[in-house]
Amino acid sequence: MAATYDDRDGKIWMDGKLVDWRAANVHILTHGLHYASSVFEGERCYNGKIFESVKHSERLKNSGKLLDMEIPYSVEEIEKAKYDVLKANGWDDAYVRVVAWRGAGEDMGVASSRNPVRMAVAAWEWGAYYGDAKMKGAKLDISKWKRPSPETIPVHAKAAGLYMICTMSKHAAEAKGCSDSLFMDYRGYVAEATGANIFFVRDGEVHTPDADCFLNGITRQTVIRLLKERNVTVHERRIAPEELEGFEQCWLTGTAAEVTPVGQIGDYTFEVGQMARDISESYEKLVRS
Ligand SMILES: Cc1ncc(COP(=O)(O)O)c(C=O)c1O
């Protein structure tokens, strides 16, 4: 059996210093554990350079602000912490996880302004998120849960609480032999997968849902830029579920997922076509350049 994530050799950055991997622990009365007062980032380091590292650190700071949880480290300090972790573990290619949360403190009720905001950075070697789907195309279930309204929760924060329905949806998907699940949003429009944004191709043009009630992924923004540089028309718009039938190609984008073609969503099928392959290749080149 592979080593569990709490039982490995290496170093983790925690509250300003590098500690032994197995000593990176928190108390059971940590506020974040009970009330989801926690935000995080997922990043990938390629050839010693974290792709869009500063953008990720800025998004983390912003996620904290959106949760009324000021992170007590500057973007520069977060940047240094990430590279310190990579160096301490000797990795040039790794996934980097930064997490900030309300710790244990004087408060144990819902309000927690007296509890310290803490931060940690861990990294590990992580291959393709969807295994061999990169070649074959991932198979997606359709979630029974909906991405919530911006009036319900801060939808643009990368916050732990927003992932509760992602975990449940992904479990349901895996039980059906799917790699992931597609969410509709609170209005019924196509939204995103549990940890990745979604794109479609029809008649040589690209369609992707407006990121108005979910994370506007850094990979999503990068892929839109790459497509526009190739003079491909990109429509960011509301997409009704009935439209899935007419799309020819589909792919997911995300730091972990990178660009992964999709072969099937529910009963709808897509070809792993040229545009999906091209954009996946261009993204791979870019992140390693
Ligand atoms: C729910 C969700 N949507 C979209 C994304 C894609 O974001 P990014 O491309 O910034 O990694 C992620 C991954 O972080 C995610 O977890």
Side-chain angles (χ1 to χ4, degrees), residues 78-100:
I78 300 171
E79 287 300 294
K80 182 170 182 315
K82 293 189 284 194
Y83 280 101
D84 283 354
V85 166
L86 289 166
K87 192 169 162 218
N89 292 290
W91 289 321
D92 280 339
D93 284 86
Y95 179 85
V96 180
R97 171 60 55 92
V98 187
V99 59

Side-chain angles (χ1 to χ4, degrees), residues 40-43 56 59 95 147 158 162-163 166 183 192-197 214-221 253-256 283:
F40 66 101
E41 273 305 316
E43 316 181 27
H56 281 283
R59 185 167 74 182
Y95 179 85
R147 285 328 264 165
K158 196 166 165 64
L162 281 154
Y163 285 84
C166 298
F183 285 109
E192 60 167 355
T194 64
N197 294 122
F214 53 82
L215 205 65
N216 182 6
I218 291 170
T219 320
R220 175 185 184 276
Q221 295 170 49
T253 64
T255 296
Y283 181 75

Side-chain angles (χ1 to χ4, degrees), residues 19-249:
V19 299
D20 284 336
W21 193 286
R22 293 178 184 83
N25 299 317
V26 294
H27 194 271
I28 198 69
L29 296 181
T30 291
H31 192 272
L33 190 58
H34 298 250
Y35 301 108
S37 46
S38 167
V39 294
F40 66 101
E41 273 305 316
E43 316 181 27
R44 276 194 193 263
C45 182
Y46 299 93
N47 295 338
K49 192 165 160 244
I50 300 170
F51 182 64
E52 298 288 23
S53 188
V54 171
K55 279 195 187 153
H56 281 283
S57 297
E58 288 171 348
R59 185 167 74 182
L60 182 82
K61 293 278 289 181
N62 192 48
S63 295
K65 278 202 185 91
L66 288 168
L67 265 70
D68 195 20
M69 205 180 87
E70 191 71 41
I71 297 171
Y73 298 97
S74 66
V75 166
E76 293 71 31
E77 287 168 325
I78 300 171
E79 287 300 294
K80 182 170 182 315
K82 293 189 284 194
Y83 280 101
D84 283 354
V85 166
L86 289 166
K87 192 169 162 218
N89 292 290
W91 289 321
D92 280 339
D93 284 86
Y95 179 85
V96 180
R97 171 60 55 92
V98 187
V99 59
W101 69 97
R102 285 269 187 205
E106 290 173 68
D107 290 318
M108 204 42 219
V110 173
S112 69
S113 55
R114 292 181 299 174
N115 291 15
V117 176
R118 304 182 56 186
M119 194 177 91
V121 184
W124 57 89
E125 289 175 304
W126 214 11
Y129 186 64
Y130 293 113
D132 62 359
K134 269 210 162 155
M135 305 307 294
K136 294 195 321 205
K139 189 174 164 198
L140 268 53
D141 185 26
I142 297 179
S143 176
K144 67 173 186 177
W145 303 99
K146 306 275 183 268
R147 285 328 264 165
S149 152
E151 291 179 342
T152 300
I153 200 161
V155 293
H156 297 297
K158 196 166 165 64
L162 281 154
Y163 285 84
M164 189 177 81
I165 56 174
C166 298
T167 300
M168 291 191 290
S169 302
K170 199 151 170 169
H171 286 174
E174 286 179 352
K176 294 178 196 168
C178 297
S179 318
D180 204 345
S181 192
L182 174 67
F183 285 109
M184 303 302 154
D185 70 20
Y186 64 103
R187 299 160 298 201
Y189 295 114
V190 173
E192 60 167 355
T194 64
N197 294 122
I198 194 154
F199 287 75
F200 301 95
V201 181
R202 189 175 62 206
D203 298 332
E205 297 189 346
V206 169
H207 303 257
T208 189
D210 262 333
D212 60 0
C213 65
F214 53 82
L215 205 65
N216 182 6
I218 291 170
T219 320
R220 175 185 184 276
Q221 295 170 49
T222 304
V223 162
I224 290 174
R225 197 184 75 227
L226 289 173
L227 289 163
K228 288 186 174 169
E229 282 168 11
R230 281 157 183 70
N231 295 319
V232 175
T233 303
V234 181
H235 303 275
E236 289 180 72
R237 62 175 181 87
R238 288 179 184 173
I239 297 176
E242 305 83 73
E243 292 185 68
L244 292 178
E245 175 127 51
F247 291 127
E248 297 142 11
Q249 298 177 46

